[in-house]
Amino acid sequence: MPLIGREREAVALRAALVGAPCVVYVAGEAGVGKSALVAEAVPGARVVRCGAGPMDAAVLSGPAPVVVEDLQWADTVTLRLLRDCLAEPPAALRLLLLYRPEELAVPGLPLGEAGSQAHTVSRIQLDLAPLTPADVTAWSGLPEEEARSLHEAGAGLPHVLADLLQAPAAAAATTRTACHLLAAGAPPRLTQLTLDRFSALDPDTQAVVQAAAVLGEAADEKVLAAVAGLPAEQAQTALLTALAGRLLAETPQAGYGCHPPLAARALLDQLPGPVRRKLHSRAAEALARLPRPVPLAQVARHHRAAGSTKAWLRTAEAAADRAVQHKAPDPQSAAELLREALATEGLPQATEVRLARKLAQVAGHLSGLDDTTHALLERLINSERLPLGIRGELRRDLALLLVNQGANPQQGLVEMAHAVDELSGRPEPAVRAMVALAMPFLTGVAVAENLRWLERAQAAADRSGDPELKLMALAGRVSLAAEIGDREVWPLARELAAAHALGGVRRIEVLRGLCNAADGVAWLGHYDQADRFIRHALQLASRVGAEFNADLTKGTALRIDWGRGNWSDLENRATALAARNPLSPARPEAHLVAGQLALARGDWSAARHQLRAAGLIAPDNGAAPVITAAAGVLLRGLLDRGELVQARRGADAAWRRLRTKGVWVWGTELVPSYVELLARAGEWTAAERAVAQFAEGVEDRDAPLAAAALRLCRALLDRYAGRMEQAETGFREAAEQYAAIPQPYDAAHALERAGHCALDTQRFPEQLVRAEREFDLLGATSDAARCGAALQRRGLAGPSVPRRGRPAYGSQLSPREREVALLAAQGRTNAEIAAALVLSPRTVEQHIGKALRKLSLTSRTELTSALTAQSW
């Protein structure tokens, strides 16, 4: 057994034995690792175990250290011998006395009585405590959360942990988890110790210990007494006895439970069925009488263990409802309870369907669709004994899980369409399913198909005459119109917003439509209108508590700030949002914005990572507008780096997805870079065809960003056809259109292109100078460096004007710029450099940008070779 967590004690032990005569008292409860510590720290010692008769006095006379184990079991002769030895010690005496304090015959006196000890004997006391969670993590090699569970179950006792880790099942497992290690129950040594101690107890104490084992979680004296069936005074006496014998332990919350908690398994295994069920029944009753909030999940599981099926199902459902309605929702616990309830044999059909639908709703808040839930829903859906409409509702629930959790969105759409047929006689769920099919966010389904489903939803809502269904269809129309740039979005949105005064379900529909409207018009470049939709949506969200919908607006807000050039603290906000719940609808947009920022600042590795996380890892399963934008940003980065082969591989697939979807207003990041890629490759006809398709797709759309991107594409065609003056004019006009949105970063890119046209026609590149300044103001250090390098190559970037009181370095790196550049060349991030040099990340960006410009570089990845070649 390793000495993890015992290094300090081992050092103290070795130091104590340097001088003689000496005695070291090593105290600790059973399993805490006293013998293992001494064996590792004091090899070669003579070991004597108490309990098998008197000790031989000759043992104490040799030069080797003597270890006396289990001193608490020593007979009177051995104790007298040890006291006498310490009163008149041999000169070379080095004695180690190991004992369990809780089992001493006389508490606090390891040798039975005080006695007298010679003043020449040095006395050291080592009290071993259990391992910490960090120690268990280091020893087990498990993740921190898994190790914490293992530590809690074994109370940090090394012997328990060693037995769990060395069990045959653990040794044979390819992957180990705390759940797997604990599944076999209490290890044999712990079981034997627990049962030995339990058998020596009086009946009252046994009853209290059994009550604690059945409860499974720490409980107060009243609950223990009720479950044990004892009067309060008898229960208190029994509790004190159990605590003294270390069968129970007090928790920081003034509760009491088995020690270690895993020992409860050993006790439960020995309880006869009738006794165990009776105790569980008492536990359910005692816990149900606690002041509110009653621990419903515990009550439910005790009812189940007691065999009270009806009470178990009723309480489990109530506990699941509370778990998701709590201020701090716990959908994982709710899902576990519902899955356990659904596993109950002989469930009435109505109960089974109700619980299954709740499970589907709860599963929508988990990090993934688990196999158990998926199989359970499929089993019910395929059950002929269920009415068609009920099967349709369950199928719709499963379809939403498959779509929203990215498990299999395309299959989810198939299931949703099937559900519509099954729901023909149920207007509300049918309209809701059709509206879901009308949402255009998935790739692979043409927007024309989405429009057809929206028409069907509107017709069904109108036929029903139900105002709520009409509002649901209206919210769908607003959402789709906003995403595709339909000019009808504005009157439709005003009509939807007017319904905000309505209560109940209607507010949820208004909120959903407003959130989607904000998302859609932001992709179009209507940032002010998107802001208004967001403000209205957040007001509604605060009233109805719809966190999921409100969360969506945070991703939209990030994109708006990126577009407007409001980059202050944007990286921190995007990173924080991306680290949230993996099901947050804003995460892909947060990764997109983080990727855009990283590329603008020259961190290619971070940019590629963030853009892949935005959805490019599985582009058929994510949000189509985000994936299309991410593909465009990545393509631009690859073009800047000259990686044309890799660029072509991903660009063709992204173009096919956009063309299949048909929402061309989403192509503002992708299409210009794709056109440039084709033009560079000499595929002139393909480039012109791509621009024509884009122009047709955005015609009559109310989409300022798409209009600016189209002007940019046409200028690119002029540029690669050699029509420099027309290209320069086109780029300037595109820059003006971007600036009017405002979209300053893209405006600066268009200015940069116009500047290069001026350079190619031997004119002063005023636009390139402006682009460098705009990039610098934004904090786009990589782009600013690229512009500066182009100007320097033409001899148009003069030396810096020195500031008064500071040395002028001109085109040479300052000492600080050189220091920052060297760290960046080593691959360190801006945050790491900032921490190392005690600077702000913004200052680090500025130094890197200046270094890139002075060295005529375009990317920080080029710093290594440039700094190596430069003579310092």
Side-chain angles (χ1 to χ4, degrees), residues 64-76:
V66 177
V67 178
V68 179
E69 292 193 350
D70 294 324
L71 186 62
Q72 73 279 355
W73 294 337
D75 56 79
T76 56

Side-chain angles (χ1 to χ4, degrees), residues 717-768:
L717 291 181
D718 288 332
R719 163 74 178 81
Y720 283 96
R723 299 185 290 268
M724 293 302 172
E725 290 186 5
Q726 294 95 316
E728 183 179 351
T729 299
F731 288 134
R732 284 204 311 269
E733 290 176 354
E736 290 169 1
Q737 288 179 271
Y738 279 124
I741 291 172
Q743 190 93 353
Y745 183 68
D746 288 325
H749 267 290
L751 286 174
E752 180 186 3
R753 293 177 184 278
H756 279 289
C757 290
L759 283 174
D760 290 342
T761 54
Q762 306 302 310
R763 290 178 293 113
F764 181 76
E766 178 186 349
Q767 291 86 1
L768 188 57

Side-chain angles (χ1 to χ4, degrees), residues 651-775:
D652 284 342
W655 177 257
R656 284 193 298 272
R657 288 193 298 270
L658 178 61
R659 192 175 58 198
T660 299
K661 186 72 221 182
V663 183
W664 290 97
V665 293
W666 290 345
T668 55
E669 283 279 8
L670 174 65
V671 179
S673 293
Y674 186 64
V675 169
E676 183 170 13
L677 174 67
L678 294 174
R680 282 196 195 183
E683 298 182 35
W684 192 249
T685 302
E688 289 183 319
R689 186 167 58 248
V691 175
Q693 286 180 304
F694 185 47
E696 182 182 0
V698 301
E699 186 179 7
D700 295 331
R701 300 289 94 177
D702 187 2
L705 268 177
L710 178 60
R711 190 67 190 96
L712 183 67
C713 288
R714 287 171 171 160
L716 283 167
L717 291 181
D718 288 332
R719 163 74 178 81
Y720 283 96
R723 299 185 290 268
M724 293 302 172
E725 290 186 5
Q726 294 95 316
E728 183 179 351
T729 299
F731 288 134
R732 284 204 311 269
E733 290 176 354
E736 290 169 1
Q737 288 179 271
Y738 279 124
I741 291 172
Q743 190 93 353
Y745 183 68
D746 288 325
H749 267 290
L751 286 174
E752 180 186 3
R753 293 177 184 278
H756 279 289
C757 290
L759 283 174
D760 290 342
T761 54
Q762 306 302 310
R763 290 178 293 113
F764 181 76
E766 178 186 349
Q767 291 86 1
L768 188 57
V769 174
R770 284 178 56 197
E772 181 189 20
R773 183 169 62 249
E774 291 298 323
F775 283 136

Side-chain angles (χ1 to χ4, degrees), residues 254-567:
Y256 304 93
C258 287
H259 180 78
L262 192 55
R265 299 280 293 276
L267 294 166
L268 289 174
D269 289 344
Q270 302 301 312
L271 279 176
V275 175
R276 187 172 59 252
R277 285 192 291 274
K278 182 178 181 180
L279 291 176
H280 277 296
S281 181
R282 286 181 185 171
E285 293 172 5
L287 293 172
R289 290 195 298 268
L290 288 175
R292 294 182 182 275
V294 173
L296 290 175
Q298 293 181 52
V299 173
R301 290 191 167 102
H302 285 302
H303 278 312
R304 182 180 59 175
S308 304
T309 303
K310 288 184 179 179
W312 144 242
L313 292 172
R314 183 182 64 253
T315 318
E317 185 174 2
D321 290 343
R322 179 196 285 175
V324 293
Q325 294 165 4
H326 195 266
K327 290 181 180 179
D330 185 4
Q332 184 65 51
S333 296
E336 289 174 4
L337 282 162
L338 291 169
R339 281 194 291 262
E340 290 172 15
L342 283 162
T344 305
E345 292 184 4
L347 279 179
Q349 184 184 101
T351 302
E352 187 175 36
V353 170
R354 185 178 69 252
L355 294 177
R357 295 213 61 201
K358 287 187 176 184
L359 176 59
Q361 293 161 11
V362 167
H365 298 281
L366 301 178
S367 59
L369 176 59
D370 64 279
D371 293 341
T372 303
T373 300
H374 192 173
L376 192 150
L377 290 174
E378 282 198 329
R379 176 177 62 79
L380 289 173
I381 288 168
N382 295 325
S383 171
E384 294 295 333
R385 65 189 182 90
L386 286 182
L388 192 63
I390 296 296
R391 291 211 305 272
E393 292 202 34
L394 287 171
R395 192 183 301 277
R396 189 199 66 179
D397 293 339
L398 175 60
L400 286 172
L401 289 174
L402 292 171
V403 171
N404 293 336
Q405 297 198 350
N408 192 339
Q410 303 304 328
Q411 181 60 33
L413 295 180
V414 173
E415 295 287 356
M416 188 72 76
H418 191 174
V420 170
D421 294 335
E422 294 174 329
L423 292 168
S424 57
R426 303 166 72 92
E428 190 275 334
V431 170
R432 194 175 293 279
M434 287 185 274
V435 170
L437 287 163
M439 295 300 97
F441 302 111
L442 286 180
T443 59
V445 179
V447 69
E449 181 71 9
N450 300 126
L451 287 165
R452 281 193 289 273
W453 279 113
L454 186 60
E455 290 172 3
R456 288 187 60 180
Q458 186 66 64
D462 290 341
R463 284 195 304 271
S464 74
D466 187 334
E468 288 192 0
L469 296 190
K470 291 181 179 180
L471 188 63
M472 191 185 301
L474 175 61
R477 290 171 64 195
V478 170
S479 301
L480 187 53
E483 294 295 342
I484 65 177
D486 188 334
R487 297 178 187 277
E488 286 297 306
V489 66
W490 311 118
L492 289 172
R494 284 193 293 273
E495 183 182 350
L496 180 69
H500 78 279
L502 302 173
V505 175
R506 298 187 183 187
R507 280 184 177 173
I508 291 291
E509 297 305 330
V510 174
L511 174 59
R512 183 180 294 114
L514 290 175
C515 288
N516 289 340
D519 174 77
V521 301
W523 289 115
L524 304 176
H526 290 299
Y527 295 150
D528 289 344
Q529 292 89 334
D531 276 340
R532 285 196 288 272
F533 288 144
I534 288 174
R535 285 196 297 272
H536 197 163
L538 290 177
Q539 289 173 359
L540 274 181
S542 67
R543 296 176 197 168
V544 300
E547 182 180 353
F548 183 89
N549 294 89
D551 215 26
L552 178 61
T553 66
K554 294 176 182 175
T556 305
L558 286 179
R559 287 193 289 109
I560 293 172
D561 282 340
W562 157 262
R564 285 173 169 163
N566 298 332
W567 293 5

